[in-house]
Amino acid sequence: EGKSTIYFSNGKISIEGNYKKSLRQGTWIYYHEDGKIDRKTVFKNGIDMNPREEKDSKPLPNQSDPKPSEYGE
């Protein structure tokens, strides 16, 4: 429950967003390692409302990903 921030090994933010009832909720922002925004998407009850379809894009973590507490947050 609440805000989640995941970092690259270089200390820059990789992903940030919020959980509600253990599901992704609201706007999530995905960054490149250089700190630039890769994409923003909106989750509703854990479902990505703007799924990616690009061939060369990295897959997005899904609902079964570790929750913020498992990252030591």
Side-chain angles (χ1 to χ4, degrees):
E1 199 75 32
K3 185 174 181 173
S4 174
T5 304
I6 299 168
Y7 298 88
F8 287 109
S9 59
N10 66 9
K12 294 192 181 224
I13 295 174
S14 171
I15 304 170
E16 60 185 354
N18 289 290
Y19 282 95
K20 185 174 181 182
K21 297 182 181 178
S22 298
L23 297 173
R24 291 176 187 216
Q25 188 70 26
T27 302
W28 280 68
I29 305 172
Y30 297 81
Y31 297 88
H32 293 284
E33 283 193 70
D34 64 6
K36 293 181 182 175
I37 293 175
D38 176 29
R39 77 185 282 249
K40 292 182 183 181
T41 192
V42 176
F43 282 85
K44 185 174 181 181
N45 298 318
I47 298 170
D48 187 345
M49 305 282 52
N50 305 304
R52 266 189 145 153
E53 296 181 16
E54 302 149 26
K55 287 190 273 183
D56 61 344
S57 64
K58 61 184 175 189
L60 295 177
N62 61 33
Q63 295 175 20
S64 64
D65 281 357
K67 303 296 181 265
S69 61
E70 293 175 275
Y71 282 100
E73 296 177 13

